[in-house]
Amino acid sequence: MALPQRQSHIVKQKTGPDDPILEETLQEALKQVSSDDVIAIADELADRRARLFLGLETDSAKLASSFAEIAAAVTHTRANARIITNYFAQSDYTIFNELLKGDVPTPVRVSAFIQKMKALDTRLALELATGLLHNTSPNANWLWTRWLWDPTTGTGILPLLAGSTHNLLADNLADGYARVGVVTAMSMKFAEGTGLWTDELVANEKRAQFANSAFLACAYNVYLYGTTSWRLSREFNNLLPSLPNMARKLLGLKKIKEETGPSLQDGALAP
């Protein structure tokens, strides 16, 4: 005779997206990141651009010599960085010239570059292409990562902020990249109501170039932390890094030393 099923002590029963406990944990998760965290992350992105990405569009030798570090900067896992590095290990890095400084519109350049990378996962190729473009010319170009918008699964922070996937659906990569840019810009309307988007964030020109990316990475992790805290046990939540450091990981930045204190890691939000 089969034994009765035992409810998991890790995953709680889900009562639906309007669960008041979910709303409460999302609000508590928002408290785990401050406007100072967003500013710090934007500053780190600006510093990294100056050190690693500035001038790449005209210097393929610099791109080649720094490629492993660049790959780590445009992906959020070491495994993906290795895949990119190994894929281009025997390449002539002038292949990136047309992407970084071509004469055609950027969405067309992105699409053409991805189509050449037939043996590389499309999402990873997009993260590489748009990561290079955004970090070399952040005011003119934007990111398209799977945590922003993954059309294969219909997930990401952009459809959450926009309220639907409608404005992100596209028939081709060029149109898809253009739509991601539009929704990214639209999402800043939401940012202004969170308390994380401040005058100080955008007052500095170098910092302001990365304000969108810093905010969106933090917003994604507010949602991730909130839903994780809602669905998982106290013991599991204790294993999670801080929300700002999770945002840094998404953006390919190094985490900073975490101070001790009440946080999700201490199970403050777990029942």
Side-chain angles (χ1 to χ4, degrees):
M1 190 172 89
L3 294 174
Q5 293 290 320
R6 176 178 177 272
Q7 184 175 345
S8 170
H9 69 287
I10 294 179
V11 179
K12 296 181 288 187
Q13 285 187 320
K14 183 178 179 180
T15 59
D18 297 324
D19 188 325
I21 297 177
L22 173 59
E23 176 63 25
E24 180 182 347
T25 53
L26 285 172
Q27 290 300 319
E28 289 296 328
L30 185 59
K31 298 176 184 177
Q32 299 298 314
V33 61
S34 69
S35 59
D36 287 341
D37 291 318
V38 182
I39 288 170
I41 292 170
D43 282 341
E44 291 163 34
L45 290 169
D47 290 343
R48 186 180 67 185
R49 175 184 182 250
R51 176 179 58 83
L52 188 60
F53 289 93
L54 203 59
L56 286 186
E57 64 272 25
T58 58
D59 190 349
S60 57
K62 179 181 178 181
L63 177 64
S65 64
S66 306
F67 194 73
E69 192 175 358
I70 289 168
V74 300
T75 61
H76 63 283
T77 69
R78 292 180 182 177
N80 284 343
R82 283 195 298 270
I83 290 171
I84 290 175
T85 303
N86 292 337
Y87 185 90
F88 291 96
Q90 304 300 320
S91 293
D92 177 358
Y93 288 91
T94 57
I95 191 174
F96 292 95
N97 289 349
E98 193 171 335
L99 170 69
L100 294 174
K101 59 176 183 179
D103 295 328
V104 298
T106 303
V108 177
R109 282 187 274 141
V110 169
S111 177
F113 181 82
I114 302 306
Q115 289 172 10
K116 293 176 184 176
M117 307 294 110
K118 297 187 182 298
L120 194 63
D121 179 85
T122 298
R123 295 180 302 176
L124 199 51
L126 276 169
E127 289 169 353
L128 171 62
T130 65
L132 279 167
L133 285 165
H134 179 61
N135 282 286
T136 53
S137 301
N139 282 332
N141 305 305
W142 50 92
L143 291 175
W144 183 358
T145 66
R146 67 195 75 187
W147 57 267
L148 284 169
W149 166 235
D150 187 345
T152 62
T153 59
T155 58
I157 189 59
L158 290 180
L160 285 172
L161 296 183
S164 74
T165 63
H166 175 72
N167 290 328
L168 289 158
L169 298 177
D171 294 328
N172 56 69
L173 286 172
D175 185 35
Y177 184 63
R179 286 174 177 266
V180 167
V182 170
V183 178
T184 295
M186 290 171 54
S187 69
M188 294 309 101
K189 295 291 185 182
F190 174 86
E192 294 169 0
T194 63
L196 299 179
W197 192 270
T198 61
D199 291 340
E200 188 179 357
L201 177 63
V202 295
N204 178 282
E205 183 179 352
K206 292 181 180 179
R207 175 191 299 154
Q209 296 179 104
F210 292 100
N212 287 13
S213 298
F215 168 76
L216 288 169
C218 288
Y220 177 82
N221 281 293
V222 165
Y223 182 80
L224 180 64
Y225 255 110
T227 54
T228 299
S229 221
W230 173 52
R231 296 275 285 149
L232 303 179
S233 71
R234 179 190 301 270
E235 291 79 8
F236 190 90
N237 277 286
N238 286 344
L239 301 176
L240 296 175
S242 71
L243 191 152
N245 272 339
M246 287 187 72
R248 286 183 172 90
K249 183 176 177 63
L250 286 182
L251 295 165
L253 294 168
K254 293 181 179 179
K255 70 176 183 179
I256 61 171
K257 186 176 180 180
E258 298 169 3
E259 297 180 0
T260 58
S263 70
L264 289 172
Q265 294 157 284
D266 302 318
L269 305 185

